[in-house]
Amino acid sequence: MKFTFKELRSSLLVPSISDHSVVQNLTAVSKGFTSQRSKIKEYVMDREMVSAYTLFYLPSNIPKLEFVFDMLSDDVKESIKSSTIVDLGTGPGTFAFALDEYFDGDVEVVGVDTSELMVEQAQKINECLYKNQKISFRSTMPKSFKGETLLLGHSLNEMGIEKLMDLVKLHAPENLIIIEPGTSAMFTEVLKLREQMRELGFQCAFPCANIESKCPVQKKIEEGQEDWCHQVLRMTHEVDFERLSQIAKLDRKTMPLIAHVYTKTNLKGPKRARMVRFLRESKFSFDWEVCFESEGELKMATFEVLKKTLSKKEVKSLQKISVGIDFDYEIMKEINSGHFKVKLL
Ligand SMILES: C[S@@+](CC[C@H](N)C(=O)[O-])C[C@H]1O[C@@H](n2cnc3c(N)ncnc32)[C@H](O)[C@@H]1O
């Protein structure tokens, strides 16, 4: 990241905010996120609350974009980079700055947020830490915004699918990116989004290999099983940040998220399998639940990734892997139609 935790603190609306106030505010914010939907908007109305949100969620949310973008094809990334990106519900500018970091400052972003305090906070961070003149913040959608890229990070939750679909129809974006909490409630919403984006002629650049085929997790839910498709980003943070997350009792080393990227760009290249759940590690294999395309249909299966086909370095790196990666594979043995021993290519 382009800043240290200390530098971020001095760029807050209330730089002198105490750790105690940060923790109290974070507890209130995270309760609002998880249970009290009606109170969710209160956290954007107070300078200390906005500062606490920024100090904690900006550094931990920024890496989510890199994780998702690393799995997009070059064509899709180029289409995003060459467009104007609206980060709707930008908050303190989280994904606007994540885009700056990913594309090394060479990207045009408009961060939009209805909260004046969030806009003020985002502008202060840009002035102090990024100094990127191609990034601006405002409270309304730019009128001329058509055929570009629309991004929502942790704001679909507040906005709702209906409002988002109205915006998609109005602004006809080339790309739509959502990065939301990895909860089962959000997955139910995202299934509706997937269906409506398919009807509008979009392709799914992440995470589904085939948008025409019914989501296999949706099939499981309809059969009465409790499941949801999400990704899990595993990472480490700066020491000062880790300390704060421990005091606040909010784990950010393992972050469940639901990211989807839709595009009108023609998707080329082979379709890879996607790991959707880390099941276990045994002496002989890593066992993953995987979503993959077979005969034009998306299917779920257990893949045993055989350790004897991996180097020691590869074993170590798979022990730390985030959930949601895609990969090429070769089937070594079919145990049954839903269980295979495989080798990574
Ligand atoms: C949870 S915060 C997310 C901030 C940032 N994107 C992040 O991920 O850290 C949601 C933000 O969406 C904004 N918001 C909610 N509904 C909105 C709308 N209809 N238009 C613009 N902003 C909205 C709120 O003011 C809030 O700042």
Side-chain angles (χ1 to χ4, degrees):
M1 252 172 300
K2 282 193 180 167
F3 57 84
T4 63
F5 193 60
K6 209 169 155 196
E7 285 167 336
L8 180 60
R9 238 181 207 282
S10 56
S11 320
L12 297 177
L13 288 183
V14 187
S16 59
I17 188 168
S18 68
D19 277 358
H20 178 70
S21 170
V22 171
V23 171
Q24 267 195 332
N25 278 299
L26 286 178
T27 310
V29 168
S30 74
K31 270 199 190 135
F33 279 153
T34 49
S35 53
Q36 300 162 276
R37 246 188 99 88
S38 57
K39 289 204 171 170
I40 206 162
K41 290 206 165 76
E42 286 179 12
Y43 70 98
V44 293
M45 293 164 70
D46 170 293
R47 296 182 88 78
E48 291 228 346
M49 200 75 135
V50 166
S51 299
Y53 179 92
T54 303
L55 190 63
F56 194 70
Y57 287 104
L58 185 111
S60 57
N61 283 344
I62 281 181
K64 293 180 182 175
L65 183 126
E66 183 184 6
F67 169 66
V68 176
F69 273 42
D70 276 352
M71 281 179 276
L72 300 179
S73 69
D74 288 346
D75 286 347
V76 174
K77 277 191 276 202
E78 192 43 49
S79 157
I80 295 170
K81 188 183 174 201
S82 59
S83 66
T84 296
I85 307 165
V86 163
D87 174 16
L88 184 59
T90 189
T94 312
F95 290 104
F97 299 131
L99 287 158
D100 171 287
E101 303 236 359
Y102 198 83
F103 294 117
D104 240 347
D106 189 16
V107 65
E108 199 174 318
V109 190
V110 182
V112 176
D113 204 293
T114 41
S115 156
E116 275 175 31
L117 282 184
M118 282 294 192
V119 169
E120 188 187 336
Q121 176 64 87
Q123 281 166 338
K124 188 168 179 194
I125 291 172
N126 199 19
E127 274 155 32
C128 297
L129 303 177
Y130 285 88
K131 302 177 179 39
N132 187 340
Q133 293 185 351
K134 291 168 112 184
I135 298 183
S136 59
F137 296 98
R138 49 187 285 162
S139 60
T140 54
M141 288 290 284
K143 283 215 171 69
S144 59
F145 183 66
K146 267 241 145 55
E148 310 280 349
T149 297
L150 181 62
L151 183 153
L152 279 83
H154 310 104
S155 52
L156 181 55
N157 197 21
E158 289 172 45
M159 208 172 294
I161 294 287
E162 261 179 48
K163 177 130 201 238
L164 171 60
M165 290 321 297
D166 287 347
L167 290 170
V168 168
K169 284 170 196 157
L170 183 66
H171 297 286
E174 177 76 10
N175 307 293
L176 172 74
I177 304 161
I178 61 142
I179 302 179
E180 295 291 324
T183 61
S184 57
M186 183 45 72
F187 183 63
T188 311
E189 293 302 295
V190 163
L191 281 175
K192 293 180 207 157
L193 175 69
R194 183 185 191 269
E195 181 53 25
Q196 296 191 45
M197 293 304 279
R198 188 187 65 75
E199 282 169 9
L200 291 177
F202 282 84
Q203 298 286 309
C204 185
F206 180 86
C208 310
N210 178 346
I211 196 176
E212 299 301 329
S213 168
K214 187 165 182 171
C215 166
V217 179
Q218 186 177 8
K219 281 189 213 156
K220 281 169 89 179
I221 296 170
E222 285 167 2
E223 285 161 9
Q225 296 181 51
E226 203 184 312
D227 203 355
W228 69 99
C229 176
H230 63 288
Q231 300 85 44
V232 184
L233 176 56
R234 295 165 75 190
M235 62 174 305
T236 52
H237 302 274
E238 234 186 276
V239 178
D240 286 351
F241 182 90
E242 294 285 0
R243 194 181 62 89
L244 184 64
S245 81
Q246 276 169 16
I247 309 172
K249 297 195 178 69
L250 293 168
D251 177 22
R252 303 304 277 173
K253 281 188 189 154
T254 309
M255 292 189 286
L257 64 140
I258 292 181
H260 275 225
V261 181
Y262 296 94
T263 187
K264 290 264 171 154
T265 304
N266 199 6
L267 296 174
K268 299 178 210 132
K271 292 178 175 166
R272 292 151 61 93
R274 187 163 308 281
M275 188 249 262
V276 295
R277 184 163 285 129
F278 191 104
L279 297 173
R280 68 192 77 81
E281 180 187 350
S282 73
K283 202 168 162 192
F284 306 105
S285 62
F286 290 102
D287 300 353
W288 296 345
E289 190 173 13
V290 165
C291 183
F292 68 113
E293 194 182 31
S294 161
E295 294 159 1
E297 286 262 316
L298 288 182
K299 294 188 177 150
M300 308 278 284
T302 299
F303 276 15
E304 287 183 33
V305 181
L306 299 177
K307 282 189 178 169
K308 66 179 180 196
T309 63
L310 300 165
S311 67
K312 273 192 184 158
K313 201 172 155 201
E314 286 168 331
V315 168
K316 276 206 166 153
S317 97
L318 289 189
Q319 281 165 339
K320 287 185 269 170
I321 208 96
S322 292
V323 175
I325 55 146
D326 58 352
F327 59 93
D328 291 318
Y329 61 96
E330 184 185 316
I331 293 178
M332 310 290 286
K333 189 175 177 187
E334 180 172 339
I335 296 170
N336 60 48
S337 63
H339 195 154
F340 303 87
K341 288 182 193 272
V342 305
K343 156 181 166 182
L344 301 187
L345 297 177

